[in-house]
Amino acid sequence: DAEAVGLVSPRKSGDGHYDRFRHRLMFPVHDDKGRFVAFSGRLLPTPPGEREPEEPGAKYINSTETPLYKKGEILFGLWNGRVALRRTGVAILCEGNFDLVMLHQSGFENAVAPMGTALTLHQAKVLRRFVERVVLLFDGDNAGKKAVRAAQPILRDAGLSARVVSLPPGDDPDSYLRQRGKDALAALID
């Protein structure tokens, strides 16, 4: 059962399984009805005194797809932010789990994130059930800019209007909020 839902994977050599989410901070993932459907795990720094891995894992990994969880259909934070999304009519779309948690913690409860940076038309249509406008708040690096360019036609096809907030290079919403605070981010969004 644990293998079927993607918590463990078979070892490449030998018998047994290994924990796919070892040494990661775990985030529960809910669907738009509030049902728990998957995990997302962020790699933690190597503990002091331990050897750095030869091949560091991906920064984030998600549960494998199952009948309950399809990565391209889920928006992280949608269930928690649904009331704020409807109240404001605006979604703040960010990239990472930490970005989303920090945004919610700072009062931007209308923030959601695709499970990775690749927004799908299905996710945009789900979002359209809650809001009419989207603010794209991706990282200030080249990957974030590329994700913004890819997201704009998808949002348009779903009937959503979009604006882009440009963060300084090297910043993401989490770091921006920690360094400059929620008033500075609110001013950028406005």
Side-chain angles (χ1 to χ4, degrees):
D1 289 343
E3 184 179 351
V5 297
L7 292 175
V8 298
S9 294
R11 294 191 185 280
K12 291 178 182 169
S13 60
D15 292 337
H17 293 78
Y18 68 92
D19 176 5
R20 286 189 71 240
F21 293 99
R22 65 192 174 282
H23 200 62
R24 291 181 180 275
L25 178 63
M26 300 298 292
F27 296 89
V29 177
H30 298 89
D31 66 10
D32 59 340
K33 294 173 183 58
R35 298 176 296 197
F36 168 72
V37 294
F39 284 110
S40 182
R42 187 184 192 285
L43 188 63
L44 295 170
T46 303
E50 285 194 23
R51 194 173 47 126
E52 290 287 332
E54 290 178 24
E55 293 181 33
K59 186 175 180 180
Y60 284 99
I61 61 170
N62 300 313
S63 294
T64 55
E65 293 204 355
T66 67
L68 294 176
Y69 171 67
K70 301 209 181 343
K71 180 179 173 181
E73 296 179 4
I74 300 291
L75 285 162
F76 186 63
L78 180 68
W79 173 250
N80 302 85
R82 69 194 183 286
V83 173
L85 288 162
R86 285 194 174 111
R87 182 175 32 81
T88 62
V90 177
I92 299 171
L93 191 64
C94 63
E95 288 181 70
N97 299 4
F98 275 138
D99 295 334
L100 181 112
V101 170
M102 189 63 169
L103 284 162
H104 277 228
Q105 181 178 310
S106 299
F108 301 94
E109 295 173 5
N110 57 328
V112 295
M115 299 301 296
T117 59
L119 181 71
T120 67
L121 184 58
H122 187 280
Q123 290 168 323
K125 287 180 178 179
V126 168
L127 198 52
R128 179 64 181 94
R129 296 189 337 232
F130 294 86
V131 300
E132 295 177 2
R133 296 177 300 152
V134 174
V135 173
L136 295 165
L137 183 61
F138 288 166
D139 296 359
D141 59 10
N142 287 335
K145 291 174 186 174
K146 182 179 176 184
V148 164
R149 286 190 300 275
Q152 287 176 317
I154 293 168
L155 294 168
R156 184 180 55 245
D157 290 348
L160 292 159
S161 66
R163 294 184 358 215
V164 177
V165 172
S166 296
L167 294 176
D171 268 343
D172 59 28
D174 177 34
S175 65
Y176 192 89
L177 279 164
R178 289 177 191 278
Q179 294 169 9
R180 295 174 183 89
K182 67 180 184 179
D183 292 337
L185 183 60
L188 262 182
I189 292 170
D190 288 343

